[in-house]
Amino acid sequence: RIKEFKNKKPVAKLEKVSLSFDKRQILDNINFNLNSGEIIGLLGPNGAGKSTMFNLLIGLIKPDFGRVIIENEDATNYPIYERARKFKIGYVPQYGGYFHDLTLIENLKAVGEIIIGNERERTEKINSLISKFALDNVQEIKAKFLSGGQRRKLVICMALLGDPKILLCDEIFAALDVLTIHMLKEILVNLQNENPKICIVVCEHQARELLSIVDRALILSNCKIIAEGSPNKLIKDEKAKSQYFGEFFKN
């Protein structure tokens, strides 16, 4: 975790957002700020609405009530493609996110051709990402034959092609070994060394891994944010203990 002082400048927020699916309440009057230069964590039990918040931010779904504000602009009705390009939002989904039958470099070129118009700039960006993520030896291998960690790195690279201001990462540590998780944590923190203004939001079940890299985290439960704050503050919060961590959790 980068320890130095960070200015809290909001780049996006959910404002009084409520959402239901088939009469089942998912989110109830949620207010949530994303600040420039922060790594933010989303925690909560299955079905609490963490991935739903991501879907609201990227424009895959719209709230029943409330607004999605990005860079001081009401983006609630902006479609997903317009929101991604206008506000530079990158998304790393929990599953998939790549073309199975294309090689690693073909995946990057397919996305790069949409995002980066200049061919030379596109090639330089792709080569830079392949080098940075140590994927040189597997760039000609089809994505479906890559290891879990290599596929996760590929999808992060695809999300970074557009130099996002907001990077949303959904369950990126899921089903990975300890060394790969450690490598991905280093990648996320190092992204802030390279771009101090990027806002990274990580939704994750592995609380210890998440709390080791975030500046701020929040816990969703029963349709609401029940606790929010720094990792040290969060693990001492009584609501967080009783409804999520349990009494014996130690970071």
Side-chain angles (χ1 to χ4, degrees):
R1 190 186 306 143
I2 299 173
K3 301 286 189 180
E4 64 261 26
F5 178 79
K6 296 182 179 182
N7 291 317
K8 291 185 178 180
K9 182 182 178 183
V11 289
K13 61 183 175 179
L14 300 182
E15 190 176 84
K16 298 180 180 179
V17 163
S18 295
L19 180 72
S20 299
F21 290 135
D22 294 329
K23 298 182 180 180
R24 177 180 169 237
Q25 190 84 37
I26 304 298
L27 299 173
D28 182 15
N29 197 31
I30 295 292
N31 292 286
F32 172 46
N33 279 8
L34 279 66
N35 296 320
S36 174
E38 270 192 323
I39 300 181
I40 306 163
L42 299 184
L43 291 166
N46 284 329
K50 302 184 298 298
S51 295
T52 300
M53 286 175 70
F54 275 14
N55 291 336
L56 286 165
L57 286 164
I58 64 175
L60 193 60
I61 55 177
K62 289 199 295 186
D64 298 330
F65 303 99
R67 302 190 300 166
V68 180
I69 308 295
I70 308 176
E71 294 187 343
N72 297 317
E73 190 171 339
D74 188 346
T76 310
N77 294 312
Y78 284 21
I80 185 170
Y81 67 89
E82 188 175 345
R83 205 179 291 195
R85 299 191 74 166
K86 180 179 177 67
F87 301 114
K88 292 197 168 186
I89 299 174
Y91 179 47
V92 181
Q94 180 179 359
Y95 302 110
Y98 55 88
F99 301 103
H100 291 246
D101 283 318
L102 296 184
T103 65
L104 184 145
I105 195 165
E106 286 171 344
N107 268 279
L108 291 171
K109 286 179 177 178
V111 174
E113 285 173 5
I114 298 170
I115 296 173
I116 307 170
N118 184 283
E119 185 177 354
R120 181 177 176 182
E121 183 185 338
R122 181 167 67 240
T123 301
E124 287 177 354
K125 183 71 174 178
I126 289 171
N127 290 339
S128 172
L129 286 168
I130 286 173
S131 177
K132 182 184 297 182
F133 285 78
L135 293 169
D136 306 74
N137 295 333
V138 294
Q139 59 180 301
E140 299 297 341
I141 294 176
K142 286 189 176 182
K144 63 184 177 183
F145 297 127
L146 297 171
S147 70
Q150 289 166 343
R151 285 197 294 268
R152 208 63 54 88
K153 287 200 287 184
L154 166 60
V155 180
I156 294 173
C157 285
M158 293 167 74
L160 291 175
L161 275 170
D163 293 321
K165 294 179 181 178
I166 301 170
L167 180 65
L168 306 172
C169 302
D170 194 0
E171 301 279 0
I172 63 168
F173 302 146
L176 296 178
D177 61 85
V178 174
L179 285 175
T180 303
I181 289 172
H182 181 72
M183 172 202 65
L184 289 176
K185 285 162 61 177
E186 283 191 336
I187 285 171
L188 292 177
V189 174
N190 286 336
L191 284 175
Q192 288 205 311
N193 280 322
E194 297 157 16
N195 182 5
K197 292 185 179 180
I198 191 172
C199 174
I200 301 171
V201 190
V202 185
C203 167
E204 187 55 58
H205 279 298
Q206 301 196 44
R208 284 187 180 83
E209 304 294 357
L210 182 74
L211 293 176
S212 70
I213 60 169
V214 300
D215 301 295
R216 175 168 59 100
L218 60 86
I219 298 174
L220 275 171
S221 184
N222 296 321
C223 312
K224 292 184 177 291
I225 296 172
I226 60 164
E228 181 178 357
S230 68
N232 288 336
K233 178 183 175 183
L234 208 59
I235 60 175
K236 295 173 185 175
D237 186 280
E238 291 303 320
K239 277 190 177 180
K241 281 183 182 180
S242 63
Q243 296 187 43
Y244 184 69
F245 291 125
E247 290 298 324
F248 303 103
F249 179 85
K250 291 182 180 179
N251 188 19

